[in-house]
Each structure stands twice: as structure tokens, then as C-alpha cells.
Amino acid sequence: MNRFRGLLALAAVGAVALGSGVSPAVAAASTSRSGDAVQASLNELVRTGEFPGVVAAVRGRDGRVRDYTAGVGDLETREKVPVNGQVRIGSHTKTFTAVVVLQLAGEGKIDLDAPIEKYLPGLVRGGKEITTRQLLQHTAGLPEYTGFPSLFDIRHTYFEPRQLLDRALANKPAFAPGKGWRYNNTGYVLLGLLAQKVTGRPMGEEVGNRILKPLGLRDTYWPGVGEQTIRGAHPEGYHANPDKKLVKFTRMDPSWGWTAGNLVSTPRDVNRFLGALLGGKLLKPAQLDEMKKTVAAPGFPAGWSYGLGLMKIKLSCGGYAWGHGGDIPGYETRNGVTEDGRSASVIVTALPTSEAGGDKVNAAVDTALCAKK
């Protein structure tokens, strides 16, 4: 498994061409903060042109928030990256989905270890052997739905969740339920259908009422049906075309991500969400404890492991952070929050086209969480 792609990607739907065709001069637009290790790491991200821009936010132990940008927000106009701009956060959506499911478990409406056949009878082959816990932890062995031939062919196509599930179930399972681990988007689509069945309400509404409104995440939203643009100030997202050139990919229909990856948010909102989650504001202690029980995650960096919609991330300065990255055409998100309240979110405006580039994004988050302020 290619390490920079990890297994967090919704972008596994098509090949990412090598080479960006972007001038290193992009780095000239970086915000200047002399002596700031975080800014230096972000400047390095845009130096080679692999990523047109970066938007980030860091919250220290003292509660102070620092906003960062680097590169440009638009390769054509050379406009600056908007501070705390909205971006598509891809698979970080999975943590929101997991919180809704775990809240329902805390309310006694879902048994994590009961077969999904109990809630969604006849929907999935082998549903009597697959549990909600396995779906949350990527141990169900479900086949993947994201093998689209070309992202450019589907970027304006709307998908119903059942279409995604049907697409996946036309393939063979990766392994028997509970007999392996493989990052999987299909399981999170199934979790969305499960939550909707149990609540009788749309998943976007449940995320809004259970997470976004209580936490005041005003810049985070669940895209409406057919909504292809980003509502607020945002850096443009880019994706490599078949000619290996970065082209603007901001406008797209994210429905194929659904509960596995369609949310729009900002670095500050992501940090607030993770801080509230680890601070016990979203889940009861029993469910938060379950969420933090991790298993080995082959293909991720050394020392990382996977819980129930949440990653445990080893830090270079000792200890761990909790978070969940996300890859979707146009944007890559990496983030983390420590037990003592430090949090950081870094989003680049293109998917990595090299393993080194992906490693640098992970390293930028590590720097933000480990650097002395």
C-alpha cells in the first residue's frame, strides 16, 4: 500500500497522475511568519508546486488559535488562500458518521455487536455475520464501491446511497467478517443507511442536529442534493488530469462520498469538533471508550491504529493524537487532537502526487502538535 495515500482516501476512485505542472513560484504567496516552525512546514508543502495552497489552524494548550495559509487560493487569479477557508474534508466525514452511530448506541437504539441484519434485513449478503462495530472499524470485509474508471467522468453525477451499495455488492468480499482489516468506504455508506433506518430522518439532518448545531460549527455543512459548489470563502481545489496537469476541481457533486466523505468544513471547525469529541461533549464515556479501542491498521504509518471512526496517531514528540484524515479530489485533510487539548488541522488543495508529498502533509500536522509555542 502506497503510504502517502494511506487508506484514508475517498480518492481511490481513479489514478492520480504524477506531476502537477505548477510553478514553484506558488510558494511566493505564502504568509510570512519568521521563526514559526508551523509556517515553515506549510511553506515547504507549496514550494515544489505539488500543492497550490494550504489552509490550516492550530489550537494550543492555552486555547489560543493560530490561523495559517501558504501558496495561492487560485492558480489563475493568484488570489490568496482565505484564512480558515471552507474545504471538502473527505473521509473525515466518517468520524461525524461514527459519532451519530455511537450516540444511537448510547441511547440504546443500536447494539454495536448485533448483526446489521437486525436493523437492515435482507440488504447485504452475509448481514447476519456483519456487526455495526465491524463496519465502524473496517473489519467487515465488505467490497469497495469506489473503483470508478475516471473521476472526471463522474464529477457532476448524482448518486443515491443505494446505488453506491449496489455497486459495491456486485463484487466479492475482501475477507470474511472479523477476519481482517481493510479501509472501506462501503461500510460507512451502510452505517448511514443504518442510522437513517433507526432514526427515521435523513443523515444530514442527524449530523446537523446532533453535532453541528450543539457545537456551533457554523462553517460546516452537509451538502444538499445536487449542490456542487462550496458556499463560503474557499481556496480552489485541484486534481491531476490525464495529461498530468492540475485542473480546477472545486465544483463537483460529492454525493458519491455521502456518509463516507461529503462534508464541507474549515480548519477551525475541525479542531473544535475533535476537541469536543475527545473532551466528552459528544459521546457518553462508555461510547467514547469504545471509539478509542483501536486495532492494527496495515498500510498506515508505523505506530498508527484505527478505532471506531477515529485514528490513533503516533507523534514524534511522544504520545499520540486522535484524528481522521480525508482525501477527496481537490483537497487532502490531515488533523489531530491530543489528550491535553492541542489540536491542528492542515488541508492542502490537491491530492499528493508523490509519497514524499503525502509524508510532508502528515509531518506538518506533527510539527503543529509538537512545536513549542
Side-chain angles (χ1 to χ4, degrees):
M1 176 60 65
N2 206 353
R3 223 184 114 194
F4 86 84
R5 181 64 56 234
L7 293 169
L8 300 173
L10 268 168
V13 296
V16 178
L18 295 176
S20 66
V22 182
S23 168
V26 168
S30 302
T31 304
S32 177
R33 291 186 179 187
S34 179
D36 189 315
V38 177
Q39 187 65 60
S41 70
L42 303 187
N43 291 347
E44 178 61 23
L45 284 174
V46 300
R47 183 182 60 81
T48 64
E50 185 171 2
F51 308 112
V54 188
V55 58
V58 179
R59 184 183 187 277
R61 295 185 185 90
D62 58 1
R64 180 183 176 186
V65 176
R66 295 173 173 84
D67 295 305
Y68 292 87
T69 65
V72 296
D74 189 313
L75 288 174
E76 297 173 4
T77 66
R78 316 303 292 177
E79 292 180 8
K80 294 181 179 179
V81 176
V83 172
N84 196 42
Q86 287 183 329
V87 293
R88 301 190 191 280
I89 60 172
S91 285
H92 187 44
T93 302
K94 290 181 174 68
T95 311
F96 290 76
T97 298
V99 166
V100 171
V101 172
L102 288 167
Q103 285 183 353
L104 292 170
E107 295 163 10
K109 297 175 181 177
I110 292 177
D111 180 345
L112 294 182
D113 296 307
I116 59 168
E117 184 75 11
K118 174 181 178 180
Y119 308 103
L120 299 168
L123 186 61
V124 180
R125 294 188 307 274
K128 293 181 180 180
E129 287 75 45
I130 297 172
T131 68
T132 300
R133 184 187 302 276
Q134 290 169 349
L135 296 175
L136 287 165
Q137 201 153 45
H138 303 300
T139 59
L142 287 173
E144 186 60 89
Y145 73 81
T146 55
F148 300 101
S150 171
L151 292 166
F152 290 90
D153 290 344
I154 67 161
R155 66 181 295 185
H156 302 306
T157 301
Y158 173 75
F159 290 91
E160 289 284 353
R162 284 297 301 271
Q163 287 179 275
L164 303 175
L165 189 59
D166 290 345
R167 178 181 175 85
L169 297 180
N171 303 308
K172 294 181 179 180
F175 49 81
K179 301 300 183 181
W181 190 92
R182 180 178 293 181
Y183 189 85
N184 182 266
N185 295 293
T186 305
Y188 273 76
V189 170
L190 194 55
L191 287 167
L193 292 172
L194 168 62
Q196 288 190 159
K197 179 68 177 293
V198 170
T199 63
R201 299 304 305 165
M203 191 59 175
E205 182 179 305
E206 289 297 311
V207 169
N209 290 338
R210 291 173 175 272
I211 302 173
L212 307 186
K213 291 179 182 178
L215 296 184
L217 304 183
R218 298 179 181 85
D219 294 319
T220 303
Y221 66 91
W222 189 275
V225 173
E227 187 172 5
Q228 299 193 57
T229 57
I230 295 178
R231 298 174 188 174
H234 59 273
E236 300 291 346
Y238 293 85
H239 194 61
N241 69 11
D243 294 326
K244 303 180 182 179
K245 303 295 184 182
L246 283 184
V247 296
K248 193 175 293 185
F249 211 94
T250 313
R251 187 174 181 273
M252 59 169 286
D253 192 315
S255 58
W256 57 269
W258 200 48
T259 44
N262 76 344
L263 276 174
V264 172
S265 189
T266 64
R268 282 195 176 210
D269 270 11
V270 167
N271 287 348
R272 186 180 301 177
F273 166 66
L274 288 173
L277 174 59
L278 270 293
K281 296 181 180 179
L282 289 172
L283 295 175
K284 296 177 180 179
Q287 279 67 53
L288 183 56
D289 287 345
E290 292 297 315
M291 193 179 208
K292 293 168 69 176
K293 292 179 181 177
T294 64
V295 297
F300 280 96
W304 292 26
S305 55
Y306 202 94
L308 305 185
L310 191 66
M311 286 289 303
K312 187 177 183 180
I313 303 163
K314 186 176 182 179
L315 297 175
S316 65
C317 52
Y320 294 85
W322 296 92
H324 199 299
D327 292 4
I328 192 166
Y331 304 95
E332 177 170 86
T333 300
R334 295 292 184 265
N335 51 59
V337 60
T338 62
E339 297 285 357
D340 65 359
R342 292 168 289 158
S343 58
S345 292
V346 175
I347 300 97
V348 291
T349 59
L351 297 179
T353 55
S354 69
E355 185 169 358
D359 287 342
K360 286 180 181 179
V361 181
N362 288 335
V365 176
D366 185 88
T367 296
L369 292 173
C370 289
K372 295 181 180 180
K373 300 296 188 293

